[in-house]
Amino acid sequence: MSDIADRVKKIVVEHLGVEESKITESASFIDDLGADSLDTVELVMAFEEEFGIEIPDDAAETIQTFGDAVKFITEAS
Amino acid sequence: MFDLTDKRALVTGASGGIGAEIARGLHAAGAVVGLSGTRTEPLEALAAELGERAHVLPCNLSDAEAVTALPKVAIEAMGGVDILVNNAGITRDNLFMRMSDDEWASVIEVNLTAAMRLSRGVLRGMMKARWGRIINISSVVGATGNPGQGNYAAAKAGLVGMSKSLAYEVASRGITVNAVAPGFIATAMTDKLTDDQKAAILTNVPAGRMGDPSEISAAVLYLASPEAAYTTGTVLHVNGGLAMI
């Protein structure tokens, strides 16, 4: 697994308090990992800080799963 | 009680009677205060009076770009914003049938939209800190209406709906959002009333007098305090009994 994926996973574990094994490529933050809509905003904020990138609101809306997040961050950073 | 040491408060309309008193109250409780307003001179005078822990942050709230920039400027000056007091307000009174679009829009822009933009701008830091206080200064007329103030009353009622909606969203993050609704308070704004108008108003105030800005400041201080952590989405009416709601 890539370095980015590891760092994203760590943030998700910390913020949502879920077991690492549940975080699969297609795991949806809201449907599978128990996030509410405000949690997803906080995750995006955390990603922005960890990776030093800007994630605009319209892009943030497309980040639904762990895989989406890794893909977006990989392309952006 | 009510120790705000190390808390950083941004107060809009700090050049006005109520805003200045709110800033004094928060400052006296130990907070660092960011004094915002359109007129720099009274802000400088207030900062000089307060001494340390006071920053002058001029901003024209009818300028959307300046409003969006203000939270960043405040965070840069103070290191963060833990308490936001949306106090600034203007009036452009007119009979409803004669009210121009501009009179309507300018009051909504400054009294309501600026409060939304500033709240949005400070939330990120508050979410991270898991602590925050947003206090919106509404008005009794937002609840009761007032002839000649359709625009002002709409904006002040709007602040209440906004406060409650935001309070729902961020309560789990240790952030409270409340409103304070002053009645008739002795300030430059109410000085414009004639003696006859004042006497007529006071017949409806059970307390029999106008309020003092310090009585609004005390309400804000409570809502800003750590002790008020469980008070959110509420409207604290400070009106001498004018409207018991």
Side-chain angles (χ1 to χ4, degrees):
Chain A
M1 190 177 279
S2 72
D3 170 54
I4 286 176
D6 279 342
R7 286 156 73 190
V8 170
K9 191 173 273 188
K10 188 160 171 279
I11 289 170
V12 174
V13 168
E14 275 172 16
H15 276 263
L16 302 181
V18 291
E19 283 173 32
E20 214 174 307
S21 60
K22 282 194 168 177
I23 306 174
T24 59
E25 184 83 10
S26 61
S28 156
F29 294 122
I30 289 177
D31 296 333
D32 302 316
L33 302 176
D36 64 20
S37 53
L38 195 56
D39 287 323
T40 61
V41 173
E42 284 193 304
L43 281 174
V44 167
M45 278 165 43
F47 296 151
E48 286 180 332
E49 277 176 26
E50 171 74 18
F51 298 98
I53 55 172
E54 284 263 337
I55 305 177
D57 288 344
D58 53 347
E61 281 168 23
T62 67
I63 301 176
Q64 304 280 339
T65 66
F66 173 70
D68 292 340
V70 174
K71 182 163 175 280
F72 183 91
I73 293 163
T74 306
E75 284 166 8
S77 51
Chain B
M1 79 192 300
F2 302 155
D3 182 7
L4 296 180
T5 304
D6 295 334
K7 299 291 186 216
R8 292 139 316 175
L10 173 61
V11 181
T12 67
S15 49
I18 293 177
E21 202 55 34
I22 289 169
R24 284 190 191 98
L26 298 173
H27 186 267
V32 177
V33 291
L35 310 170
S36 191
T38 315
R39 293 169 297 141
T40 308
E41 215 170 290
L43 297 176
E44 296 281 4
L46 179 59
E49 174 199 319
L50 296 176
E52 287 179 0
R53 294 185 281 114
H55 300 266
V56 174
L57 310 169
C59 180
N60 176 2
L61 294 185
S62 57
D63 176 347
E65 266 181 48
V67 175
T68 304
L70 181 58
K72 292 171 197 155
V73 173
I75 289 164
E76 215 162 275
M78 303 192 288
V81 174
D82 307 293
I83 300 161
L84 170 66
V85 184
N86 285 309
N87 163 74
I90 58 168
T91 55
R92 296 279 299 276
D93 297 357
N94 207 345
L95 284 176
F96 204 93
M97 288 178 70
R98 297 215 176 103
M99 186 166 288
S100 68
D101 284 2
D102 182 57
E103 284 166 339
W104 173 268
S106 59
V107 168
I108 299 292
E109 180 78 8
V110 171
N111 296 12
L112 180 60
T113 308
M116 180 279 287
R117 292 196 176 112
L118 294 177
S119 300
R120 193 176 56 191
V122 299
L123 274 168
R124 192 186 180 105
M126 290 179 178
M127 296 257 289
K128 280 189 68 183
R130 290 289 190 266
W131 200 95
R133 298 283 185 269
I134 296 176
I135 300 153
N136 295 314
I137 307 302
S138 179
S139 165
V140 63
V141 308
T144 63
N146 200 27
Q149 291 200 305
N151 49 3
Y152 186 77
K156 293 301 190 179
L159 281 176
V160 172
M162 186 188 86
S163 298
K164 291 180 179 181
S165 303
L166 179 54
Y168 265 110
E169 291 187 18
V170 297
S172 63
R173 268 55 172 187
I175 303 168
T176 69
V177 188
N178 292 287
V180 173
F184 285 95
I185 308 299
T187 64
M189 209 186 257
T190 47
D191 274 350
K192 286 185 208 155
L193 300 169
T194 66
D195 284 348
D196 283 352
Q197 283 175 315
K198 281 186 197 167
I201 289 163
L202 287 180
T203 59
N204 293 318
V205 179
R209 63 174 178 85
M210 293 185 111
D212 188 82
S214 65
E215 290 167 315
I216 304 306
S217 174
V220 171
L221 177 58
Y222 162 66
L223 293 172
S225 72
E227 283 82 352
Y230 204 55
T231 302
T232 195
T234 194
V235 183
L236 184 43
H237 288 273
V238 185
N239 62 31
L242 169 64
M244 300 190 193
I245 38 184

